[in-house]
Amino acid sequence: MNPYVLATLLSSLGLGTTLTFASSHWLLAWMGLEVNTLAIVPLMAQHHHPRAVEATTKYFLIQATAAAVVLFASTTNAWITGEWNMTNMSDPIATTMILAALSLKVGLAPMHFWMPEVLQGLDLLTGLILSTWQKLAPFALIIQTSQTFDPLLLTALGLTSTLVGGWGGLNQTRLRKVLAYSSIAHMGWMVIILQHAPHLTFLALLMYILMTSAAFLTLKLSYATKVGALATTWSKSPLLTATTALVLLSLGGLPPLTGFMPKWLILQELAKQDLPLTATVMALAALISLYFYLRLCYAMTLTISPNTGTSTTPWRTQTNQISAPLALSTVMALGLLPITPTITTLVI
């Protein structure tokens, strides 16, 4: 892709998200979401592969539908209340429609069906943008309007997403689909605590972005898109294989890694709010997710591929990819748990 076009599209992505962040007016927020969608569509279709084109078409139709519902619901609310302000959402039908549309945008269950299929058709770098940056604008709107949503509906969305994210990833052999279901499960954790402690939702979103970035960048460096390809990575770069396994366990939420922090704080807050049953279901759903992360770790570190040749093993392969972002995101995805008090102080 032409570097000038690429720079324009990436700056438009930034502009769309910033516009949504800065807005308290529904029309401006909708414009930000639209700019965001239109900027990523050419990036998704840049390889001209049939799967990429199919994924782009699906993504565009889903996002356009969600944006239309947001516009319709905000217009309905403005019609009833007389203003476009986000803080004045008094109509229950409009608020439910907006929650449904934003859930469709971020891929919360049961509006998640597009997410694995779209992510499977993209290259890893565009998949990373879709899984991280594209979640920010809709999530900002969900956090801003969280107090107007029905608490029971938010809890149902959170529990469904965590369970579906766990179950869906169990029998997957494609790594991008595994990461898509992982994303759905993490979105569930963020939504479940939204009504009680929005700062924990923000913290969970930040940690999710760090860990997902580390996972996608690792897979990009090792050119792995299937579980079978992971079995051959140990002979090429043993250190990368070890850190990848740890990043996957961090995504699963095992202590003493970074991924344990948001889960621990969210479960603690749910217990404080006298919701032991919800906390128990969430913890059990996290175990289901942990199973497929352990499957990937097993494939990477405890199996030897039958296709490994008898020739001299290339222990250090030359690559022209930039590894600084991978190193930074991996260190942060593994070692932030000891400074949890500092991070929570900063976020609150």
Side-chain angles (χ1 to χ4, degrees):
M1 186 179 276
N2 186 306
Y4 295 115
V5 175
L6 185 62
T8 307
L9 292 173
L10 291 176
S11 57
S12 298
L13 269 180
L15 173 69
T17 306
T18 312
L19 198 62
T20 307
F21 279 176
S23 61
S24 59
H25 190 286
W26 274 116
L27 204 58
L28 206 60
W30 171 79
M31 282 168 64
L33 292 173
E34 284 296 280
V35 170
N36 227 350
T37 304
L38 292 173
I40 200 174
V41 163
L43 291 173
M44 293 168 78
Q46 63 180 318
H47 295 297
H48 306 296
H49 190 276
R51 277 190 184 171
V53 174
E54 182 189 340
T56 309
T57 310
K58 285 178 181 174
Y59 181 76
F60 177 75
L61 291 173
I62 291 289
Q63 297 297 310
T65 306
V69 174
V70 166
L71 190 60
F72 176 66
S74 53
T75 309
T76 308
N77 187 67
W79 183 30
I80 291 164
T81 61
E83 57 180 78
W84 286 83
N85 204 327
M86 283 181 197
T87 51
N88 189 13
M89 295 288 294
S90 55
D91 184 46
I93 297 172
T95 50
T96 308
M97 282 172 70
I98 279 180
L99 179 58
L102 293 175
S103 301
L104 182 62
K105 268 196 170 293
V106 294
L108 276 168
M111 283 81 77
H112 67 285
F113 295 100
W114 62 270
M115 181 88 183
E117 299 301 323
V118 167
L119 209 57
Q120 179 57 35
L122 304 178
D123 67 298
L124 288 165
L125 210 52
T126 317
L128 170 61
I129 296 171
L130 183 72
S131 301
T132 55
W133 186 260
Q134 290 298 95
K135 308 273 188 195
L136 292 177
F139 238 98
L141 295 180
I142 291 173
I143 291 171
Q144 273 181 283
T145 52
S146 61
Q147 299 311 312
T148 60
F149 297 140
D150 181 13
L152 195 64
L153 193 58
L154 284 173
T155 307
L157 278 173
L159 286 171
T160 312
S161 297
T162 318
L163 288 165
V164 165
W167 280 113
L170 286 181
N171 65 341
Q172 298 299 332
T173 56
R174 309 276 176 163
L175 295 176
R176 282 167 291 190
K177 281 196 176 182
V178 167
L179 287 169
Y181 282 110
S182 161
S183 171
I184 293 161
H186 278 90
M187 292 295 130
W189 280 89
M190 292 170 215
V191 166
I192 199 86
I193 201 66
L194 186 58
Q195 56 202 322
H196 307 297
H199 64 276
L200 286 183
T201 297
F202 182 62
L203 174 71
L205 183 60
L206 282 181
M207 294 305 125
Y208 159 76
I209 287 172
L210 279 177
M211 295 183 292
T212 306
S213 301
F216 267 102
L217 291 171
T218 305
L219 296 178
K220 182 176 177 289
L221 197 71
S222 55
Y223 299 104
T225 54
K226 295 179 188 174
V227 176
L230 289 178
T232 60
T233 54
W234 67 272
S235 62
K236 295 173 186 172
S237 46
L239 189 61
L240 185 68
T241 304
T243 55
T244 308
L246 288 172
V247 165
L248 289 168
L249 292 177
S250 184
L251 270 167
L254 276 191
L257 303 167
T258 303
F260 179 60
M261 184 206 304
K263 287 185 169 60
W264 166 36
L265 293 171
I266 287 169
L267 289 175
Q268 187 181 7
E269 186 63 33
L270 286 171
K272 274 186 194 171
Q273 297 290 340
D274 203 23
L275 295 164
L277 188 62
T278 309
T280 308
V281 174
M282 292 299 284
L284 291 173
L287 284 178
I288 303 171
S289 295
L290 184 61
Y291 173 76
F292 64 75
Y293 295 124
L294 283 170
R295 238 182 83 221
L296 296 182
C297 291
Y298 176 76
M300 285 192 79
T301 55
L302 296 171
T303 57
I304 295 177
S305 170
N307 302 323
T308 307
T310 53
S311 57
T312 309
T313 312
W315 285 100
R316 295 288 180 270
T317 52
Q318 292 297 317
T319 177
N320 56 0
Q321 296 188 51
I322 303 166
S323 55
L326 169 62
L328 187 64
S329 59
T330 302
V331 167
M332 293 176 83
L334 299 183
L336 291 184
L337 187 64
I339 57 166
T340 300
T342 313
I343 293 170
T344 48
T345 308
L346 288 171
V347 169
I348 294 168

